[in-house]
Every structure is written in C-alpha cells, then in structure tokens.
Amino acid sequence: MNNRKPMLFIKFGQKEHLESLQKGNLYLNNLDYFIQMEKKNNKKGMGDKSEASLMLTNVSIKFFHHDTHELAFTFDSAKTSLRMDEVLTKPVFCIMWVAAEDFEVIKEDENEVEAVLSFDAEQQKEMLSEFGDHALVIEAARFIEALERTLDQMELCCATGKIDYINYSTNKNAHLPELMNNDLSVYFKKDHSLSYQKEFRAVILNKDIEEPITINIGDMTSFSGILPSPHLLSGGFGVKINLKHESS
C-alpha cells in the first residue's frame, strides 16, 4: 500500500448529509451494497462489483481427486473472479484521503506556509459526477482517534487503511493465498481504474449487517469544515499553516 500518511480526509456528498457526518454520524453499508450498486447502475465508481475479489485472467482450472491426485477434468477461463462470501456482510466506511505531498506550496516564510490542494482533471470530473456538490474536509489524525476510541468502547474490532489499486489484467500469485486465508488485505484492494478516488476505509470485522447502520463518533465541527465541491476540486481553496515559535 501507499505509505504516505493521510493529512486530511474528504467526504463528498449532499450538504445535509455532510452536516450529519460532521456531527459524528458515520453511515456504514456492507461490501455487498457496493457490489450490487455497480450491477444496478452498470457503472463502476461508487459501486464496484469486484469488491473483496481476486480477479484472474487467462487461467486454467484443474479438478482432481484429492486422495489419488488423479486429474478429473480441466477447463480454461479468459476471466474469472474468486471471493469468500463471509466478507460481504462486513460494515464499511469509505472516505478520500490526501497527504502533505498532495499540496503545492505557493508561499513560504519562517512564520507561515501557504499551499493549495490540486486535483487532476479525472478526479475533478469523476468526483463531481459521482459524489455530490459539497465536501466535508476533516483532520485525519483526530478522525481516526475518535473512530478508534468509539469502536473500542463498543467492543468492535476495526481494520483501517488506504486502498491498494490493482491492475487485474495481470495475475498476481500472492493474492490467491491472501483470499483463501481471509487476509485483511482483501478488504483493501480495488481495480486500478478507481485510483482517482484515493480511498481510505474502515472495516468492522466482528459484526455482520444486512442493512446500513449508523455509528456516532462524536462531534467533529472543531476539526472539520464544509466547502462547495467545484471550488475545492478546481484548486479554489488553499491552506495556511501558521508556525508557532517558542518565546525566548
């Protein structure tokens, strides 16, 4: 996975939904929801039918008798996918991440750094069409702290991390044992065509859901803000970081 540390999280959506999230209300769907969404809309983006799957191309599948190892039959497949069904009911919260390296410094002195957050043309187009007209910007470290504290109090086990975007046109042998052993990494892989999303996700491992749930992690107003999406994505907003100096 990418080793850059998230500095900010960004959630796109309708303003009223983001105001609820800012109050700490995290809305979680299970992974199957995102699979069905792509099938329903016939568009990869918010939905992704390859969630928690191992996608294989040009494979030969052999069936044999376990005791004698005698080959029963073989068939070839141009494309196939493997998935462990038990992962489909796990609750998931998804959000975009940005790191310090995603900012372009435009002014700097001993007291202040001014920078703008830049998005490429694909991100601007896709994020606006898929996710809504406003964006909630959250300080990443404080969000993770609040999330982990709340889930610990609820005795819920959670895995968090950035998505690793995979080119499924090339088979990766290492991914097969990860899937078969239900390794945590299976929750954090998606098709490389979605890399513009820069997704960070939290997966609850010891709870299964059929319907969405809401978890409140506490009010985030003091370390977040809501902005119009077009202005944010077009570089219309910047940040100023004031450097505090110790008095002599």
Side-chain angles (χ1 to χ4, degrees), residues 18-25 136-139 142-143 146 217-226:
L18 297 178
E19 288 172 342
S20 177
L21 174 58
Q22 191 175 37
K23 295 296 183 183
N25 298 308
L136 175 64
V137 182
I138 311 169
E139 184 183 341
R142 294 177 70 178
F143 174 88
I217 65 171
D219 193 293
M220 298 187 287
T221 304
S222 64
F223 55 93
S224 66
I226 297 176

Side-chain angles (χ1 to χ4, degrees), residues 3-236:
N3 291 322
R4 292 191 295 163
K5 186 176 181 180
M7 176 181 175
L8 298 173
F9 290 137
I10 303 175
K11 189 74 169 180
F12 294 90
Q14 299 178 11
K15 188 175 181 181
E16 58 269 30
H17 296 159
L18 297 178
E19 288 172 342
S20 177
L21 174 58
Q22 191 175 37
K23 295 296 183 183
N25 298 308
L26 273 61
Y27 187 79
L28 292 83
N29 278 296
N30 63 23
L31 281 176
D32 190 51
Y33 169 83
F34 299 102
I35 295 169
Q36 300 307 322
M37 181 180 289
E38 183 186 349
K39 292 180 178 179
K40 178 180 178 180
N41 298 332
N42 197 30
K43 183 179 185 300
K44 187 182 290 291
M46 289 185 67
D48 181 11
K49 64 184 180 183
S50 64
E51 281 281 5
S53 298
L54 174 62
M55 310 297 293
L56 300 173
T57 56
N58 298 320
V59 296
S60 176
I61 301 176
K62 299 179 180 180
F63 288 80
F64 62 93
H65 297 286
H66 178 68
D67 294 331
T68 65
H69 294 281
E70 180 183 355
L71 182 65
F73 61 90
T74 300
F75 64 83
D76 297 329
S77 177
K79 189 173 184 179
T80 190
S81 64
L82 303 174
R83 177 188 288 122
M84 306 302 285
D85 287 343
E86 58 264 30
V87 306
L88 299 183
T89 53
K90 301 304 181 187
V92 176
F93 178 78
C94 307
I95 199 165
M96 186 180 194
W97 65 273
V98 295
E101 293 88 345
D102 295 308
F103 287 85
E104 178 185 355
V105 176
I106 58 175
K107 180 182 177 182
E108 183 177 8
D109 58 38
E110 63 179 9
N111 298 313
E112 186 178 79
V113 175
E114 183 175 349
V116 292
L117 180 60
S118 59
F119 296 88
D120 61 33
E122 182 184 17
Q123 288 176 316
Q124 293 182 41
K125 176 184 175 182
E126 298 295 343
M127 302 308 272
L128 283 175
S129 65
E130 292 177 14
F131 296 111
D133 57 3
H134 280 77
L136 175 64
V137 182
I138 311 169
E139 184 183 341
R142 294 177 70 178
F143 174 88
I144 293 174
E145 180 184 358
L147 175 66
E148 292 180 345
R149 180 178 62 249
T150 301
L151 294 181
D152 184 61
Q153 292 170 352
M154 298 175 67
E155 298 184 345
L156 293 174
C157 179
C158 181
T160 59
K162 293 178 287 185
I163 292 296
D164 188 14
Y165 294 97
I166 303 298
N167 184 352
Y168 286 118
S169 64
T170 303
N171 293 329
K172 303 289 194 305
N173 292 337
H175 295 167
L176 185 56
E178 290 174 353
L179 179 71
M180 303 301 290
N181 295 323
N182 200 15
D183 189 276
L184 289 180
S185 63
V186 303
Y187 296 102
F188 300 96
K189 296 183 188 297
K190 296 183 75 170
D191 188 84
H192 71 110
S193 64
L194 299 174
S195 61
Y196 65 87
Q197 295 181 352
K198 297 187 66 174
E199 182 183 329
F200 182 97
R201 68 171 40 168
V203 183
I204 297 178
L205 303 173
N206 61 338
K207 185 177 181 66
D208 297 282
I209 61 171
E210 297 295 334
E211 299 295 331
I213 61 172
T214 300
I215 294 175
N216 187 280
I217 65 171
D219 193 293
M220 298 187 287
T221 304
S222 64
F223 55 93
S224 66
I226 297 176
L227 305 170
S229 297
H231 293 174
L232 177 66
L233 290 168
S234 65

Side-chain angles (χ1 to χ4, degrees), residues 108-113 240-246:
E108 183 177 8
D109 58 38
E110 63 179 9
N111 298 313
E112 186 178 79
V113 175
K240 289 185 179 181
I241 303 174
N242 295 311
L243 306 175
K244 297 181 179 180
H245 298 283
E246 297 289 339

